Amino acid sequence: LAAVVVLSIGSPAVGETGEAGAAEESEDRTAPEDSAAEAVSPRGGRFAVGGTVNRTINFVDDGVSTQSYHVDSVNFPTLFYFKGSKDVSDHLTVGGHIEAAIQDNSAVDVNQNTREAGLNFSSRFFEITLDSTRYGKLSLGRGFMASAYMWELDKTDTWRYNQLSTGSSFAGMLLADSAGALSDIPIALVYFDAEGFAFRNRVRYDSPLFGGVQLSGAVGSGDSLDGALRWDYDTPTISLAVRASGQNEPTDRVELIGSRIDWRVDGGVGVLHKPTGLSLVVAAGEQNYKPEFYEQFNRTDGRNFGAIVRAGLRRDWFGIGDTKLSLDFFRVNDVVWEDDEAISYGLFVGQYIEKWHLEPYVGVRVYDFDSGPNAGKSFRKMTGFAIGAIFDFSFSRDESAPKAGS
């Protein structure tokens, strides 16, 4: 499959949808593509340097015992970025973006057998962009494919510690079988990373907006390519977002399982009622595994389908920043063996402290995997509790505006 449903604070100057690290769809400071504050040329332009630290303590009951694990989040990693841009005409801006994740004890590498996974460095963005208000945006280099994070429609903005890909928070943890023995099956394998078609060396094009509609496409290294449609509608009371995409050769961002997917289609709808802060997201998708993956589980085909629903609430109750709450239910079939079923449900709460650029958060998630009649084994339920915080920092400078007296 590739399905998700939705119903963090971001850096003071950026989100992450296409820029610095995360969901290209958030409309506030945590939008995935804005993760980096803008800025650039020493001879006029805008330049920004910044980063994010996202640390979590996970307490995991795997059905046999309960242990604690200090991890760097997979939902949104610790990262640093450099970003710049320069206006070269009344409609064209040239930009550059360099970003890397630096994680100590990444949640995808930590499990019951490996409590200390060490330091992990990964590149995210190394790109040059040409952005025209008339003709659209062209991106060259490593960065988001067109469909990356497009279903992060969570209007509560909790995605940086609770992505729609529900396996992210406890990705490396191993399921225990009914006898109490640890298997070699991590959460990331069963609760697939539906948002994994993210960072590739590619050429990407995003069209200008036409009545709130934007079309995007990207051709990446190997056989990877994708296309996406985004539509946003906004009124004083309602904010609505619709997304749909098709992907060829998408890889799992959680690389425990490598590239197992041949193709994927998915989409979702997110809506926010502004006066109350209530939100709802529903998303779903289907994907097809490659034969070399599904044949090892004695399957006759590789298709699976999943969906998620997330409801949320976001309000500034205490005058220090938004309190954010999200509650979701996720279900996927045929994810490992034919006729299996994986269910997950979770509740996360975060409190943004605007003055400090800090967001503490807590959450609980349950994983219940029924391996079905073809597996020859069954697995115990896993429950994870997370407590953590995100801190954002940035420095930016704008030399594009004329100086006084010039």
Side-chain angles (χ1 to χ4, degrees), residues 283-295:
E286 183 175 16
Q287 67 187 15
N288 191 58
Y289 293 140
K290 297 177 180 178
E292 54 265 37
F293 176 79
Y294 69 75
E295 287 176 354

Side-chain angles (χ1 to χ4, degrees), residues 210-214 229-233 240-244:
F210 301 99
V213 176
Q214 183 180 56
L229 178 147
R230 295 169 171 84
W231 177 57
D232 292 281
Y233 178 74
L240 176 67
V242 178
R243 306 287 184 261

Side-chain angles (χ1 to χ4, degrees), residues 7 154-157 237-238 271-280 311-317 322-326:
L7 239 230
D154 187 348
K155 300 296 184 178
T156 60
D157 196 30
T237 58
I238 293 292
V271 61
L272 168 69
H273 184 247
K274 296 179 182 179
T276 62
L278 292 170
S279 63
L280 177 68
L313 176 64
R314 177 174 179 171
R315 298 285 294 275
D316 184 358
W317 278 310
D322 287 349
T323 302
K324 308 166 186 179
L325 181 149
S326 64

